[in-house]
Amino acid sequence: MSEQPVPFLDLASVNGDLRAEYEAAFSTVLGHGKFIGGPEVGKFEAEFAEYCQARAAVGCGNGTDALELILKGLGIGPGDEVIVPANTFIATVEAVLYVGARPRFVDVLPDTLLIDPDAANAAVNKNTAAVIGVHLFGQMVDIDRVLEVTRRHGIAFIEDAAQAQGAEFDGKRAGSQGVATGFSFYPGKNLGALGDAGAVVTQDTELADKIRRIADHGRSAESRFLHDLVGRNSRMDSVLAAGLSIKLRGLDKANAGRLRAWKQYVEELPSAVRPVSTHPKAAAVHHVAVVEVENRDKVCTALDEAGVGWGLHYKTPCHLDSAYTQFTESLPVVEAAAERILSLPMSPNMTEQQVSRVCEVLRGVTG
Ligand SMILES: *Cc1c(COP(=O)(O)O)cnc(C)c1O
């Protein structure tokens, strides 16, 4: 058995095969000089919208901006509440606070660690404007049940699909069912750019147009010399869009590589290391490989000693994080899970030997 170190994620190796294609694309962009919003951006937007089974995509600066632009575009702001799961990357919460709305944290389901639709339903009040369903770890939320809640109350359903490019629930893609969906192309995401980038995806082309204008300083559709909305600057760079088009062609294959590694983990992990569940209707894209263990500190030490990378998604539930202490909810499922969760190495090109090595180290420490 190989005792080679296993990195958590090796981005140089994930992107290395594409070097020649990237270099050709850079050269094209250098040649035309339209560095922001050039033809590569429109091309990628069209390809990505189609990939997501949606009508429109708007490229922007990053995934956090994508969520903020959606909330702005929907007119959500001061006085409004937005329901968010407490188990998410902090960016989901930042977007809500940056538009002046109030996040309302709800608990997650114990098996998938994704938003609990009943908890979301119970949290709705007269100020609730939207629910953000976060497709965490590469698995979509139970979208049928969440949509039932948002339809019953007449509020918006927004998807945070930063970790779920290509994921499906009941055959429908992430990005196809929310009022709008925020995607991140942070380099480590399943569809990762060569820098910071993001996109808003939606079936609503009017909303897409409005968001595009907000992200471009509120520029008027009639004249580029007029600004009829108070906007901001969050646009996509042409080189990054060109790289994303290249990467998108290989996304299904990359996600299949992640699924293969995940299935091997599920088979080979010792019984004291429990993988999070996948809903029977979900086709997950395994952005991170999350398991639960009881003696996590000891396990992490053993992984460190063996040179196996690991992560925590997330060590502190958002409502308990130090900038957010005004939110005093008690959310027992996420709080208990935060003590046990552990993310194992995961990447599109993980080898069978690497997964076996990680499982062997875990077997050694959990007995
Ligand atoms: C990465 C991420 C974001 C933010 O994306 P950035 O591009 O880093 O701004 C938002 N939500 C979730 C769940 C994420 O994982």
Side-chain angles (χ1 to χ4, degrees), residues 173-194:
R173 279 260 159 92
S176 65
Q177 291 182 86
V179 171
T181 304
F183 282 94
S184 164
F185 307 122
Y186 176 78
K189 301 288 159 89
N190 289 44
L191 181 62
L194 301 178

Side-chain angles (χ1 to χ4, degrees), residues 293-304:
V293 289
E294 295 305 330
N295 44 354
R296 187 172 67 196
D297 289 346
K298 193 172 139 210
V299 172
C300 291
T301 305
L303 293 171
D304 282 339

Side-chain angles (χ1 to χ4, degrees), residues 62-65 67 88-89 91-92 134 136 160 162-163 184-186 189 196-197 314:
N62 56 65
T64 315
D65 282 0
L67 293 170
T88 183
F89 181 53
T92 319
V134 182
L136 207 63
D160 178 345
Q163 302 189 4
S184 164
F185 307 122
Y186 176 78
K189 301 288 159 89
D196 267 322
Y314 291 90

Side-chain angles (χ1 to χ4, degrees), residues 79-100:
D80 292 326
E81 278 193 15
V82 178
I83 292 172
V84 295
N87 190 30
T88 183
F89 181 53
I90 204 72
T92 319
V93 184
E94 289 173 316
V96 174
L97 286 162
Y98 264 76
V99 299

Side-chain angles (χ1 to χ4, degrees), residues 7-259:
F8 185 68
L9 171 66
D10 177 0
L11 285 177
S13 110
V14 168
N15 289 294
D17 292 348
L18 302 172
R19 176 183 286 267
E21 279 181 85
Y22 285 144
E23 284 176 353
F26 291 170
S27 171
T28 304
V29 174
L30 270 176
H32 67 54
K34 296 186 187 77
F35 298 126
I36 298 169
E40 292 78 11
V41 175
K43 177 171 178 285
F44 171 69
E45 288 173 340
E47 292 166 356
F48 192 61
E50 191 190 348
Y51 182 82
C52 296
Q53 304 169 346
R55 287 205 187 90
V58 180
C60 64
N62 56 65
T64 315
D65 282 0
L67 293 170
E68 191 185 319
L69 289 164
I70 291 168
L71 294 165
K72 268 265 184 248
L74 294 172
I76 294 172
D80 292 326
E81 278 193 15
V82 178
I83 292 172
V84 295
N87 190 30
T88 183
F89 181 53
I90 204 72
T92 319
V93 184
E94 289 173 316
V96 174
L97 286 162
Y98 264 76
V99 299
R102 187 180 196 282
R104 177 70 192 269
F105 295 104
V106 298
D107 216 339
V108 296
L109 295 167
D111 52 349
T112 58
L113 304 180
L114 301 174
I115 193 166
D116 178 344
D118 292 334
N121 186 49
V124 174
N125 63 39
K126 64 178 189 346
N127 297 323
T128 309
V131 174
I132 303 184
V134 182
H135 306 319
L136 207 63
F137 313 147
Q139 178 174 192
M140 285 178 68
V141 303
D142 187 336
I143 210 156
D144 297 341
R145 287 185 59 208
V146 178
L147 278 173
E148 202 183 293
V149 172
T150 53
R151 283 184 186 137
R152 183 183 314 140
H153 297 286
I155 56 179
F157 172 57
I158 297 166
E159 299 177 62
D160 178 345
Q163 302 189 4
Q165 295 89 349
E168 295 180 1
F169 192 90
D170 209 9
K172 292 177 200 137
R173 279 260 159 92
S176 65
Q177 291 182 86
V179 171
T181 304
F183 282 94
S184 164
F185 307 122
Y186 176 78
K189 301 288 159 89
N190 289 44
L191 181 62
L194 301 178
D196 267 322
V200 173
V201 166
T202 177
Q203 306 290 7
D204 181 343
T205 52
E206 262 178 53
L207 180 64
D209 289 344
K210 184 175 177 196
I211 285 172
R212 186 183 296 288
R213 293 200 293 120
I214 296 171
D216 186 23
H217 300 296
R219 214 177 289 277
S220 158
E222 272 73 58
S223 162
R224 68 191 173 92
F225 303 111
L226 276 177
H227 305 90
D228 51 11
L229 284 169
V230 179
R232 42 168 304 192
N233 177 9
S234 183
R235 299 173 299 212
M236 185 178 270
D237 298 334
S238 307
V239 276
L240 297 185
L244 283 165
S245 282
I246 292 166
K247 205 81 176 279
L248 182 61
R249 293 200 281 275
L251 180 59
D252 287 340
K253 186 161 169 257
N255 284 341
R258 290 172 182 273
L259 178 62

